[in-house]
């Protein structure tokens, strides 16, 4: 990978939100985005050929691995992976259904690891990069967010260990974003939504930070990248 191209980039959660913004940014840079999501992206959101889309539920780690391998084989390899897919189950620990709680960890942490595991042979071959997506709630805790905090703390720990394990062979960056204007907060009870005066980033601006990490020259890596609104209530 060079500073002039981002190549073929697999983006999880690429049908909406930050994932869609990253996929668009990759295409605008002349790269080839591959989208992994639970549903097909709308053409007006992310315009990619059907052959470059994999439909899978990341809560099923083995199916996620299969979907990554299938996309990578069809594309002829991978230069990078960006793991934007994520979910949440807000509420008191003893009130959140166990299956819902488990699913957050399965998607956010186990799904991230499964995608990277399956992509690793191609990334080792290309000297590629991984950008995992954590959260400011991977650095601090909040009541009624045990599943999300556990999963995002896990993403940070996984990413730091992976960076050491693959150093000199695969670049690893952990993105730590604050709140963004996405559908992530839709459908939640009012107390778990950003207030009307909340300062949130545009996903396009956070995606630009992802592209900055992907375009670092060989031998130079951004290990962790915190991107928050200038007025950020959840930053430690």
């Amino acid at each position: 990978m060079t500073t002039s191209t981002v190549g073929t980039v697999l983006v999880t959660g690429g049908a909406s939100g930050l994932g869609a913004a990253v996929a668009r940014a990759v295409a605008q840079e002349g790269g080839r985005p591959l989208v992994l999501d639970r549903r097909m992206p709308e053409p007006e959101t992310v315009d990619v050929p059907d052959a470059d889309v994999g439909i899978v539920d990341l809560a099923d780690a083995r199916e996620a691995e299969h979907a990554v391998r299938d996309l990578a084989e069809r594309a002829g390899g991978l230069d990078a992976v960006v793991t934007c897919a994520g979910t949440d189950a807000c509420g008191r620990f003893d009130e959140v259904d166990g299956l819902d709680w488990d699913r957050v960890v399965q998607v956010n942490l186990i799904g991230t690891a499964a995608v990277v595991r399956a992509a690793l042979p191609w990334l080792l071959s290309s000297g590629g990069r991984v950008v995992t997506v954590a959260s400011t709630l991977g650095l601090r805790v909040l009541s009624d967010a045990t599943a999300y905090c556990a999963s995002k703390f896990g993403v940070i720990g996984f990413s730091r260990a992976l960076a050491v394990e693959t150093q000199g062979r695969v670049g690893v960056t952990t993105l730590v974003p604050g709140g963004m204007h996405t559908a992530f907060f839709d459908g939640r009870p009012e107390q778990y939504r950003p207030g009307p005066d909340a300062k949130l980033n545009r996903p396009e601006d956070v995606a630009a930070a992802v592209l900055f990490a992907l375009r670092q020259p060989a031998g130079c890596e951004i290990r962790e990248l915190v991107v928050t609104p200038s007025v950020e209530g959840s930053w430690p």
Side-chain angles (χ1 to χ4, degrees), residues 113-125:
V115 167
V116 174
R117 179 186 296 112
L120 202 54
W122 285 277
L123 297 175
L124 287 167
S125 176

Side-chain angles (χ1 to χ4, degrees), residues 75-169:
L78 294 172
D79 294 297
V81 169
V82 184
T83 61
C84 299
T87 189
D88 197 3
C90 301
R92 297 286 181 176
F93 178 62
D94 58 349
E95 296 175 353
V96 175
D97 180 80
L99 290 176
D100 294 337
W101 199 100
D102 291 353
R103 178 176 173 78
V104 175
V105 177
Q106 288 164 350
V107 171
N108 296 0
L109 176 57
I110 306 302
T112 291
V115 167
V116 174
R117 179 186 296 112
L120 202 54
W122 285 277
L123 297 175
L124 287 167
S125 176
S126 64
R129 298 185 184 272
V130 175
V131 177
T132 59
V133 179
S135 167
T136 50
L137 290 186
L139 300 174
R140 67 183 290 267
V141 296
L142 191 67
S143 178
D144 296 21
T146 54
Y148 195 75
C149 287
S151 69
K152 294 301 187 178
F153 268 79
V155 168
I156 288 177
F158 165 71
S159 305
R160 289 176 176 176
L162 182 69
V164 173
E165 185 173 311
T166 62
Q167 60 184 320
R169 299 181 296 155

Side-chain angles (χ1 to χ4, degrees), residues 81-83 112 116 128-134 155-156 158-160 162-163 166 170-176 209-216 220-227:
V81 169
V82 184
T83 61
T112 291
V116 174
R129 298 185 184 272
V130 175
V131 177
T132 59
V133 179
V155 168
I156 288 177
F158 165 71
S159 305
R160 289 176 176 176
L162 182 69
T166 62
V170 173
V172 179
T173 297
T174 308
L175 176 70
V176 183
V210 173
L211 267 289
F212 175 68
L214 292 180
R215 295 189 63 179
Q216 291 302 300
C220 181
E221 296 179 23
I222 298 172
R223 292 294 200 200
E224 296 185 2
L225 185 59
V226 180
V227 183

